[in-house]
Structure formats: C-alpha cells, structure tokens
Amino acid sequence: MPERDDPVVIGQRVQQLRTERGLTQRQLAEPAYTPAYISTLEAGRVRASDEALRHIAGRLGVAFEELAVGRPAHLATDLRLALTEAQRILADGRAEEAAVQYAALLARAETHALGREQATALLGLGECALETGELERAREFFERAERHLADESLPVRVPAVRGRAVAHYLAGELRYAVYLLESALDELNRGGLHDPDALLLLYAGVIGPYMDMGAHARAAQAAEFALALAPQAGDPALIARMHRSVARTLIAEGRVAEADASLAKAAELYGRLRLRTELANCHWMRGYVCVQNGELERAEAELRQAHAMLAESRAALYRSQAAVELADVLHRRGKSEESAVLLQGVLGDFSSERGAVHAAAAHRLLGIIAEDARDTEAAEEHYVRALSLLERAGAAGDLADLCRLLGDLFRRTGRVEAALDAYRTGLGHRTAPGTTTLGPAPAQPPL
C-alpha cells in the first residue's frame, strides 16, 4: 500500500467526512477513544495509529484506505476493469473511442497516484495513436509509460519498449527500432528473464523491420524463435500477432504453404478476439501470399477486404499502407489507372516521418506506371523521391531494387554514367545480406 498521507491531510479528511455524516466528535470517538483525541487528530497534531484509523473508518462507513491515502475502496479494481473494457473497444477497431476512455481513466489514475494503472492507460493511448497514425504522440505515450514502469522488471516494461519501437519503425526509423528491440531481447536472454510473452512480443515485433532492412537471415531466425516460444505464451492475441509476422518471413523464403497456414491460424485467433485491425492485417498478408503464388485475382480480393476493414476501423496509417499493396496488385492485373488514383489518394497520408517505406513504395509504383505511359520525366521524379525516403529509412532490399529501376531509366534515356552510378549504389546495398549495422544478432532465447 502507498505511504499514508500527512497527519494534517488525514485530519481534514476525517473532519470533512464526520461533518458530512452529521456526527459529533464524541459519537465518532466512542467507545474506544475520547472526543479530545478526535479533536487533536482533526487538527493534524497527532499521527493516528492504524488501529485508530480503522476504528474511525468503521464509524464513518468508509474503507481504511480512503482515510489513509484518500483513495476510494476498490478504486484500483474498478480502474482495471474499465481499462480492460477500453482494451476491448480498441481491439474492436474503435481506436478513437478507446482513446477517449483511456484518457479519462488516465486522469483518474493520476488523481490517486496509481502508477501501474497510469502505465496501462498510457500503453492503451499509445496503441490508439499507432492505430490512427499519430506516431509522435504514440512515442510520447510509450515513453511516459516506460517512466512509470522504471522500477519494474524488464518483462513488465517490454510492451512499452515494443510500442516505442513500432512507432519508430512506422516513422521509417528502421535501425533505431531494431536497436530498441534487439537491446531488450539481449537483456532478457542474457539476464535469464525467461518470460515467453515478453520474448514473443519482441521477436514478432522485430521481423518487420528486419525484412524492410533486407536482413532476411535475422528475420528468419526471429521467426523460428517466435514459433518455438508460441506454445509457452499465455496470451492468444500475442500468438496471433506472432503468426502474422512469421508469415512475412515465410513468404520471403518462398514457403508459401506454411505462410498461408500461419495466417489461417492468426485469422482464426483474431476472429475469436474480434481484433478487427489485426484481422484486417491478416487479410493483407494473405494478399502477399497470393501474389507470391501468382493468384492475383484472389490477392486483389484479400487486399480489398483488408483495405475496407482498415477504413472501417479508422486505422489511417495501416489503411494507407494496405492501399499501396492493393495498388501494386491492380497494376499487375492491368488496372494501372485505378492503381494510380488509389496511390495519389494516399500519398498525403505519408511523409519521411510517417510510413516512409510505404511512401517510397507508392512513389516507386507511380514511377513504373509513368514509365509505362512513356512519361520519363514523371517516372524519374517519383523514383528520386522514393530513393530519398528509403535512404533515410535504411531499407536496403528496397533501395537495391529502386536503384536498378532508376539505372534502367537513365540507360534508356542515354545517361550512361548516371545509370552506372545508380547500379553501383544498388550493389552497395546488397553487399551484406542478412546483416544490419548493429553488430551481432541478439542472443538465442532459452527454449
């Protein structure tokens, strides 16, 4: 229990409650104490014992805790129940509504200095901000949550660390996101903090940044560790998230059937939990699988469903990212005009600070569509914008491919030296596959 309030504060509280109930000091004191003792206590000149406060609380009809620290009985329990309801609202895709509830609960928790509940509310607000694409606010919420949990063990702090890393990842700061996740993984594994849920959250979280950086070997290793940890984890939402992330690695390795199986498991779990945004992401990843398998018609259907579900849940940034993937499939199916309209409609949702990798993908695809239409000038402009975004994000694999496209464009327009420079730049991003600039990969978990 938190430290008791100052005697003066407690005395004022006792006097206020006694007056509200129409009791005299004698009625409050008897039979165990004297009116003079109550008078001295209300004046703040004596520090009441726990026994005395329990007697007074009983006479006033309140909990001992309410007298000692000014906290209504069962407040913490009530707050936790309300926080769970806010989590359910967020899981149902209503991020804005959940954010309002989390903010109100945070204010209540702050009023009564309930540190753990404040941290839970801040984590919820961070997740809401991620869902609506407010990445700077998300980072601030997760950082505040970490400060509230500073004295807790690392497994307790992991959701805040992971949230901050995801915010940096979505903003295009891939290397820093990986640094945060790898550092936490090393501390957990080397320190013997064998918490399956925490490890699973981190390994699932690091797969996306690894893939975008071209570190496929590390992504595959993280996926294997996550799969091995899944049977030990107690949270089905975590397991579903893990299956969705692992599918991305399996796709890169050409293991399409296994990827589809992972996504089916994730979709089933999310369907039960009614996590609409995550379920939409499963349809999104299924679209990836279909593209790899050459099933473009089915891919379009899956991605359209994902895009519609994300629009319904108002997950703005994720919706725009799914739109880029859908536009790619539309272009492949010969629907370039519709693809270009879709891309132009979402470019405003991205920036170098927000969804940089998908912004680059949108410019890359618009460049290809412009080339197909023989608009060389527009194509070059889109490729250069994409190159700038990818260089900032450090997405090595995408950079190499873009340099190839730009080099081909320069070669076709007679700029041979510029083409050679572009090709050399692209080769430079392929010199160290499966690695990052962050040193050795994290230690293996105790499986």
Side-chain angles (χ1 to χ4, degrees):
M1 177 179 163
E3 187 176 342
R4 281 171 46 175
D5 286 336
D6 182 82
V8 172
V9 175
I10 292 176
Q12 291 171 346
R13 192 174 294 138
V14 169
Q15 185 179 41
Q16 179 183 346
L17 289 169
R18 178 180 63 78
T19 304
E20 288 173 357
R21 284 155 178 73
L23 298 175
T24 65
Q25 290 180 336
R26 178 179 299 279
Q27 289 171 323
L28 186 59
E30 291 179 344
Y33 300 93
T34 65
Y37 176 76
I38 298 299
S39 177
T40 305
L41 186 151
E42 290 182 348
R45 295 196 298 270
V46 64
R47 182 176 179 81
S49 66
D50 285 356
E51 183 182 0
L53 280 186
R54 291 189 192 282
H55 164 81
I56 294 168
R59 300 288 288 175
L60 291 170
V62 299
F64 166 80
E65 191 179 37
E66 185 168 354
L67 279 188
V69 298
R71 181 180 302 162
H74 310 303
L75 174 67
T77 302
D78 292 343
L79 271 175
R80 283 192 286 271
L81 285 170
L83 286 165
T84 302
E85 173 61 14
Q87 185 179 21
R88 187 194 66 77
I89 293 170
L90 175 60
D92 203 28
R94 294 176 283 158
E96 293 172 356
E97 183 181 340
V100 171
Q101 187 156 333
Y102 275 125
L105 295 171
L106 175 62
R108 287 181 63 195
E110 286 175 339
T111 299
H112 298 284
L114 291 166
R116 181 66 74 90
E117 285 70 25
Q118 287 179 62
T120 302
L122 287 165
L123 287 171
L125 285 167
E127 293 293 340
C128 291
L130 285 181
E131 190 107 337
T132 55
E134 300 169 273
L135 302 182
E136 188 173 342
R137 292 194 70 202
R139 282 200 300 271
E140 291 172 1
F141 286 132
F142 288 126
E143 286 168 1
R144 287 173 62 189
E146 279 191 84
R147 288 196 292 272
H148 278 288
L149 298 170
D151 296 330
E152 301 285 351
S153 65
L154 180 56
V156 176
R157 289 184 278 117
V158 157
V161 174
R162 172 257 171 200
R164 190 154 59 97
V166 170
H168 284 288
Y169 167 49
L170 292 175
E173 299 161 4
L174 275 63
R175 296 189 185 281
Y176 188 63
V178 170
Y179 164 74
L180 289 174
L181 294 164
E182 285 191 344
S183 298
L185 281 165
D186 268 333
E187 188 176 342
L188 280 172
N189 289 327
R190 298 189 190 283
L193 299 169
H194 307 157
D195 186 291
D197 283 353
L199 287 168
L200 180 56
L201 197 60
L202 293 169
Y203 278 119
V206 82
I207 291 171
Y210 277 157
M211 291 292 291
D212 286 346
M213 291 173 70
H216 298 151
R218 286 203 183 185
Q221 184 185 51
E224 294 299 331
F225 290 160
L227 283 168
L229 286 161
Q232 304 175 49
D235 186 343
L238 282 181
I239 298 171
R241 182 182 293 156
M242 178 274 299
H243 277 299
R244 196 193 80 215
S245 297
V246 164
R248 189 174 181 188
T249 302
L250 296 172
I251 293 164
E253 294 180 338
R255 295 153 67 183
V256 175
E258 291 172 68
D260 213 358
S262 269
L263 290 169
K265 290 176 185 175
E268 180 185 358
L269 285 164
Y270 283 134
R272 282 190 228 145
L273 294 167
R274 301 184 69 201
L275 302 179
R276 289 191 60 78
T277 298
E278 299 288 2
L279 183 56
N281 287 335
C282 287
H283 286 290
W284 179 357
M285 290 300 295
R286 270 193 150 160
Y288 272 131
V289 174
C290 295
V291 170
Q292 296 293 318
N293 218 20
E295 302 173 75
L296 294 182
E297 185 177 353
R298 186 181 165 205
E300 181 181 338
E302 292 283 358
L303 288 167
R304 283 192 188 278
Q305 184 168 357
H307 186 257
M309 291 174 72
L310 291 167
E312 183 183 332
S313 65
R314 298 186 292 280
L317 183 56
Y318 294 133
R319 181 198 67 227
S320 299
Q321 290 174 335
V324 174
E325 308 301 338
L326 174 58
D328 181 55
V329 172
L330 291 172
H331 171 65
R332 291 175 188 233
R333 298 199 68 203
K335 305 176 183 179
S336 295
E337 187 175 337
E338 184 183 354
S339 174
V341 169
L342 189 59
L343 291 169
Q344 293 289 359
V346 300
L347 271 179
D349 296 333
F350 299 123
S351 70
S352 61
E353 303 291 334
R354 186 172 183 265
V357 172
H358 278 78
H363 280 296
R364 173 189 175 279
L365 185 51
L366 284 167
I368 291 171
I369 293 171
E371 273 204 87
D372 291 344
R374 304 191 185 284
D375 188 347
T376 305
E377 186 177 340
E380 182 178 342
E381 182 181 342
H382 282 300
Y383 289 154
V384 169
R385 286 187 184 179
L387 191 65
S388 173
L389 289 163
L390 291 174
E391 283 177 338
R392 182 185 179 281
D398 291 340
L399 267 168
D401 176 65
L402 187 63
C403 287
R404 177 188 60 78
L405 288 171
L406 192 56
D408 290 348
L409 176 64
F410 287 147
R411 182 171 52 81
R412 281 194 294 272
T413 53
R415 288 171 284 177
V416 178
E417 286 300 321
L420 288 171
D421 284 342
Y423 291 142
R424 289 190 195 102
T425 302
L427 286 171
H429 290 295
R430 281 298 194 199
T431 54
T435 64
T436 70
T437 59
L438 303 174
Q444 180 172 338
L447 301 177

Coordinates of all heavy atoms in Angstrom, one line a residue, residues 355-410:
G355 N 5.5 6.4 -42.1 CA 5.2 5.5 -43.1 C 6.2 5.6 -44.3 O 5.8 5.5 -45.5
A356 N 7.5 5.9 -44.0 CA 8.4 6.2 -45.1 C 8.5 5.1 -46.1 O 8.6 5.3 -47.3 CB 9.8 6.6 -44.5
V357 N 8.6 3.9 -45.7 CA 8.8 2.7 -46.6 C 7.7 2.6 -47.5 O 7.9 2.4 -48.7 CB 9.1 1.4 -45.8 CG1 9.1 0.2 -46.7 CG2 10.4 1.5 -45.0
H358 N 6.4 2.7 -47.0 CA 5.3 2.6 -47.9 C 5.1 3.8 -48.8 O 4.6 3.7 -49.9 CB 4.0 2.3 -47.1 CG 3.9 0.9 -46.8 ND1 4.6 0.3 -45.7 CD2 3.1 -0.1 -47.3 CE1 4.2 -1.0 -45.6 NE2 3.4 -1.3 -46.6
A359 N 5.5 5.0 -48.3 CA 5.5 6.2 -49.2 C 6.5 6.0 -50.3 O 6.1 6.3 -51.5 CB 5.9 7.4 -48.4
A360 N 7.6 5.4 -50.1 CA 8.6 5.1 -51.1 C 8.0 4.1 -52.1 O 8.2 4.2 -53.3 CB 9.9 4.6 -50.5
A361 N 7.3 3.1 -51.6 CA 6.7 2.1 -52.4 C 5.7 2.7 -53.4 O 5.5 2.3 -54.5 CB 6.1 1.0 -51.6
A362 N 4.9 3.7 -52.8 CA 3.9 4.4 -53.6 C 4.6 5.1 -54.8 O 4.1 5.1 -55.9 CB 3.1 5.3 -52.8
H363 N 5.7 5.9 -54.4 CA 6.4 6.6 -55.5 C 7.0 5.7 -56.5 O 7.0 6.0 -57.7 CB 7.4 7.5 -54.8 CG 6.9 8.8 -54.3 ND1 6.3 9.8 -55.1 CD2 6.8 9.3 -53.0 CE1 5.9 10.8 -54.3 NE2 6.2 10.5 -53.0
R364 N 7.5 4.6 -56.0 CA 8.1 3.6 -57.0 C 7.1 3.1 -58.0 O 7.4 3.0 -59.2 CB 8.7 2.4 -56.1 CG 9.2 1.3 -57.0 CD 9.5 0.1 -56.1 NE 9.9 -1.1 -56.9 CZ 9.1 -1.9 -57.4 NH1 7.7 -1.7 -57.4 NH2 9.5 -3.0 -58.1
L365 N 5.9 2.7 -57.5 CA 4.9 2.2 -58.3 C 4.4 3.3 -59.3 O 4.1 3.0 -60.5 CB 3.8 1.6 -57.5 CG 2.6 0.9 -58.3 CD1 3.2 -0.1 -59.3 CD2 1.7 0.2 -57.3
L366 N 4.2 4.5 -58.8 CA 3.8 5.6 -59.7 C 4.9 5.8 -60.8 O 4.5 6.2 -61.9 CB 3.6 6.9 -58.9 CG 2.2 6.9 -58.1 CD1 2.2 8.0 -57.1 CD2 1.1 7.0 -59.0
G367 N 6.1 5.7 -60.4 CA 7.2 5.8 -61.4 C 7.1 4.7 -62.5 O 7.3 5.0 -63.7
I368 N 6.8 3.5 -62.1 CA 6.6 2.4 -63.1 C 5.5 2.7 -64.0 O 5.5 2.5 -65.2 CB 6.5 1.1 -62.3 CG1 7.8 0.7 -61.6 CG2 6.0 0.0 -63.3 CD1 7.6 -0.5 -60.7
I369 N 4.3 3.2 -63.4 CA 3.2 3.5 -64.2 C 3.5 4.6 -65.2 O 3.1 4.6 -66.3 CB 2.0 3.8 -63.3 CG1 1.5 2.6 -62.5 CG2 0.8 4.4 -64.1 CD1 0.5 2.9 -61.4
A370 N 4.2 5.6 -64.7 CA 4.6 6.7 -65.6 C 5.5 6.2 -66.7 O 5.4 6.7 -67.9 CB 5.3 7.8 -64.8
E371 N 6.4 5.3 -66.4 CA 7.3 4.7 -67.5 C 6.4 4.0 -68.5 O 6.7 4.1 -69.7 CB 8.3 3.8 -66.8 CG 9.6 4.5 -66.4 CD 10.8 3.5 -66.4 OE1 11.4 3.4 -67.4 OE2 11.0 3.0 -65.3
D372 N 5.5 3.2 -68.0 CA 4.6 2.5 -68.9 C 3.9 3.5 -69.9 O 3.6 3.1 -71.0 CB 3.6 1.7 -68.2 CG 4.2 0.5 -67.4 OD1 5.4 0.2 -67.8 OD2 3.6 -0.1 -66.5
A373 N 3.6 4.7 -69.3 CA 2.9 5.7 -70.2 C 3.9 6.6 -70.9 O 3.5 7.6 -71.5 CB 2.0 6.5 -69.3
R374 N 5.2 6.2 -70.9 CA 6.3 6.9 -71.6 C 6.4 8.3 -71.1 O 6.9 9.2 -71.8 CB 6.0 6.9 -73.1 CG 5.9 5.5 -73.7 CD 6.0 5.5 -75.2 NE 5.7 4.1 -75.7 CZ 6.6 3.1 -75.7 NH1 7.8 3.3 -75.2 NH2 6.3 1.9 -76.2
D375 N 6.1 8.6 -69.8 CA 6.3 9.9 -69.2 C 7.6 9.8 -68.4 O 7.6 9.6 -67.1 CB 5.1 10.3 -68.3 CG 5.2 11.7 -67.8 OD1 6.3 12.3 -67.9 OD2 4.2 12.2 -67.2
T376 N 8.7 9.9 -69.0 CA 10.1 9.6 -68.4 C 10.3 10.7 -67.3 O 10.9 10.3 -66.2 CB 11.2 9.7 -69.5 OG1 10.9 8.8 -70.5 CG2 12.5 9.4 -68.8
E377 N 9.9 11.9 -67.5 CA 10.2 12.9 -66.5 C 9.5 12.6 -65.2 O 10.1 12.7 -64.1 CB 9.8 14.3 -67.1 CG 10.2 15.5 -66.2 CD 9.8 16.8 -66.8 OE1 9.7 16.9 -68.0 OE2 9.7 17.8 -66.0
A378 N 8.2 12.3 -65.3 CA 7.4 12.0 -64.1 C 8.0 10.7 -63.4 O 8.1 10.7 -62.2 CB 6.0 11.8 -64.4
A379 N 8.4 9.7 -64.2 CA 8.9 8.5 -63.6 C 10.2 8.8 -62.8 O 10.4 8.3 -61.7 CB 9.2 7.5 -64.7
E380 N 11.1 9.6 -63.4 CA 12.3 9.9 -62.7 C 12.1 10.7 -61.4 O 12.7 10.4 -60.4 CB 13.2 10.7 -63.6 CG 14.6 11.1 -63.0 CD 15.5 11.9 -63.9 OE1 15.2 11.9 -65.1 OE2 16.4 12.5 -63.4
E381 N 11.1 11.6 -61.4 CA 10.8 12.3 -60.2 C 10.3 11.4 -59.1 O 10.7 11.5 -58.0 CB 9.7 13.4 -60.6 CG 9.3 14.3 -59.4 CD 8.2 15.3 -59.8 OE1 8.0 15.5 -61.0 OE2 7.6 15.8 -58.8
H382 N 9.4 10.5 -59.5 CA 8.9 9.5 -58.4 C 10.0 8.6 -57.9 O 10.1 8.4 -56.7 CB 7.8 8.7 -59.0 CG 6.5 9.4 -59.1 ND1 5.8 9.9 -58.0 CD2 5.7 9.7 -60.2 CE1 4.7 10.5 -58.4 NE2 4.6 10.4 -59.8
Y383 N 10.9 8.1 -58.8 CA 12.0 7.3 -58.4 C 12.9 8.0 -57.4 O 13.4 7.5 -56.4 CB 12.8 6.8 -59.6 CG 12.1 5.7 -60.4 CD1 12.4 5.6 -61.8 CD2 11.1 4.9 -59.9 CE1 11.8 4.7 -62.6 CE2 10.4 4.0 -60.7 CZ 10.8 3.9 -62.0 OH 10.1 2.9 -62.8
V384 N 13.2 9.3 -57.7 CA 14.2 10.1 -56.9 C 13.5 10.3 -55.5 O 14.2 10.2 -54.5 CB 14.5 11.4 -57.5 CG1 15.2 12.3 -56.6 CG2 15.4 11.1 -58.8
R385 N 12.2 10.6 -55.5 CA 11.6 10.8 -54.2 C 11.6 9.5 -53.4 O 11.8 9.5 -52.1 CB 10.1 11.2 -54.4 CG 9.9 12.6 -54.9 CD 8.5 13.0 -54.9 NE 8.2 14.3 -55.4 CZ 7.0 14.9 -55.6 NH1 6.0 14.2 -55.2 NH2 6.9 16.1 -56.1
A386 N 11.3 8.4 -54.0 CA 11.4 7.1 -53.3 C 12.8 6.8 -52.8 O 12.9 6.3 -51.7 CB 11.0 6.0 -54.3
L387 N 13.8 7.1 -53.6 CA 15.2 6.9 -53.2 C 15.5 7.6 -51.9 O 16.1 7.1 -51.0 CB 16.1 7.3 -54.3 CG 17.6 6.9 -54.1 CD1 17.7 5.4 -54.2 CD2 18.4 7.5 -55.3
S388 N 15.1 8.9 -51.9 CA 15.4 9.7 -50.7 C 14.7 9.2 -49.4 O 15.3 9.1 -48.3 CB 14.8 11.2 -50.9 OG 14.9 11.9 -49.8
L389 N 13.5 8.7 -49.6 CA 12.7 8.1 -48.4 C 13.4 6.8 -47.9 O 13.5 6.6 -46.7 CB 11.3 7.8 -48.8 CG 10.4 9.1 -49.0 CD1 9.1 8.7 -49.8 CD2 10.0 9.7 -47.7
L390 N 13.8 6.0 -48.9 CA 14.4 4.7 -48.5 C 15.8 4.9 -47.9 O 16.2 4.1 -47.0 CB 14.5 3.8 -49.7 CG 13.1 3.3 -50.2 CD1 13.3 2.5 -51.5 CD2 12.4 2.4 -49.2
E391 N 16.5 5.8 -48.4 CA 17.9 6.1 -47.8 C 17.7 6.5 -46.3 O 18.5 6.0 -45.5 CB 18.6 7.2 -48.6 CG 19.2 6.6 -49.9 CD 19.8 7.7 -50.7 OE1 19.5 8.9 -50.5 OE2 20.7 7.4 -51.6
R392 N 16.8 7.3 -46.0 CA 16.6 7.7 -44.6 C 16.1 6.6 -43.8 O 16.6 6.4 -42.6 CB 15.5 8.8 -44.6 CG 15.2 9.4 -43.2 CD 14.1 10.4 -43.2 NE 13.9 10.8 -41.8 CZ 13.2 10.2 -40.9 NH1 12.8 9.0 -41.1 NH2 13.0 10.7 -39.7
A393 N 15.3 5.7 -44.3 CA 14.8 4.6 -43.5 C 15.8 3.4 -43.4 O 15.7 2.6 -42.5 CB 13.5 4.0 -44.2
G394 N 16.7 3.3 -44.4 CA 17.7 2.2 -44.3 C 17.1 0.9 -44.8 O 17.6 -0.1 -44.4
A395 N 16.1 1.0 -45.7 CA 15.5 -0.3 -46.2 C 16.4 -0.8 -47.4 O 16.1 -0.5 -48.6 CB 14.1 0.0 -46.7
A396 N 17.4 -1.6 -47.1 CA 18.4 -2.0 -48.0 C 17.8 -2.7 -49.2 O 18.2 -2.4 -50.4 CB 19.5 -2.8 -47.3
G397 N 17.0 -3.7 -49.0 CA 16.5 -4.5 -50.1 C 15.7 -3.7 -51.1 O 15.9 -3.8 -52.3
D398 N 14.8 -2.8 -50.6 CA 14.1 -1.9 -51.5 C 14.9 -0.9 -52.2 O 14.7 -0.6 -53.4 CB 13.0 -1.2 -50.7 CG 11.9 -2.1 -50.2 OD1 11.8 -3.2 -50.7 OD2 11.2 -1.8 -49.2
L399 N 16.0 -0.4 -51.5 CA 16.9 0.5 -52.1 C 17.6 -0.1 -53.4 O 17.8 0.5 -54.4 CB 18.0 1.0 -51.1 CG 17.7 2.2 -50.3 CD1 18.6 2.4 -49.2 CD2 17.8 3.5 -51.3
A400 N 18.1 -1.4 -53.2 CA 18.8 -2.0 -54.3 C 17.8 -2.1 -55.5 O 18.3 -1.9 -56.7 CB 19.2 -3.4 -53.8
D401 N 16.6 -2.5 -55.3 CA 15.6 -2.7 -56.4 C 15.4 -1.3 -57.1 O 15.3 -1.2 -58.3 CB 14.4 -3.3 -55.9 CG 13.3 -3.4 -57.0 OD1 13.5 -4.2 -58.0 OD2 12.2 -2.7 -56.9
L402 N 15.2 -0.3 -56.2 CA 14.9 1.0 -56.8 C 16.1 1.6 -57.6 O 15.9 2.2 -58.7 CB 14.6 2.0 -55.7 CG 14.1 3.4 -56.1 CD1 12.8 3.2 -56.9 CD2 13.9 4.3 -54.9
C403 N 17.3 1.3 -57.1 CA 18.5 1.8 -57.9 C 18.6 1.1 -59.2 O 19.0 1.7 -60.2 CB 19.8 1.5 -57.1 SG 20.0 2.6 -55.7
R404 N 18.1 -0.2 -59.3 CA 18.1 -0.9 -60.6 C 17.1 -0.2 -61.5 O 17.4 0.0 -62.7 CB 17.7 -2.4 -60.4 CG 17.5 -3.2 -61.7 CD 16.9 -4.5 -61.4 NE 15.6 -4.5 -60.8 CZ 14.5 -4.2 -61.4 NH1 14.5 -4.0 -62.7 NH2 13.3 -4.2 -60.8
L405 N 15.9 0.1 -61.0 CA 14.9 0.8 -61.8 C 15.4 2.1 -62.3 O 15.2 2.5 -63.5 CB 13.6 1.0 -61.0 CG 12.8 -0.3 -60.8 CD1 11.6 0.1 -59.8 CD2 12.1 -0.8 -62.0
L406 N 16.0 2.9 -61.4 CA 16.5 4.2 -61.8 C 17.6 4.1 -62.8 O 17.7 4.9 -63.8 CB 17.0 5.0 -60.6 CG 17.3 6.4 -60.7 CD1 16.0 7.2 -61.2 CD2 17.7 7.0 -59.3
G407 N 18.5 3.1 -62.6 CA 19.6 2.9 -63.6 C 19.1 2.5 -64.9 O 19.6 3.0 -66.0
D408 N 18.1 1.6 -65.0 CA 17.5 1.3 -66.3 C 16.9 2.5 -67.0 O 17.0 2.6 -68.2 CB 16.4 0.2 -66.1 CG 17.0 -1.1 -65.7 OD1 18.2 -1.3 -65.7 OD2 16.2 -2.0 -65.2
L409 N 16.3 3.4 -66.2 CA 15.6 4.6 -66.8 C 16.7 5.5 -67.4 O 16.6 6.0 -68.5 CB 14.8 5.3 -65.7 CG 14.2 6.6 -66.1 CD1 13.2 6.4 -67.2 CD2 13.6 7.4 -65.0
F410 N 17.8 5.7 -66.6 CA 18.9 6.5 -67.1 C 19.5 5.9 -68.4 O 19.8 6.6 -69.3 CB 20.0 6.7 -66.0 CG 19.6 7.6 -64.9 CD1 20.1 7.3 -63.6 CD2 18.8 8.7 -65.1 CE1 19.7 8.1 -62.5 CE2 18.4 9.5 -64.0 CZ 18.9 9.2 -62.7

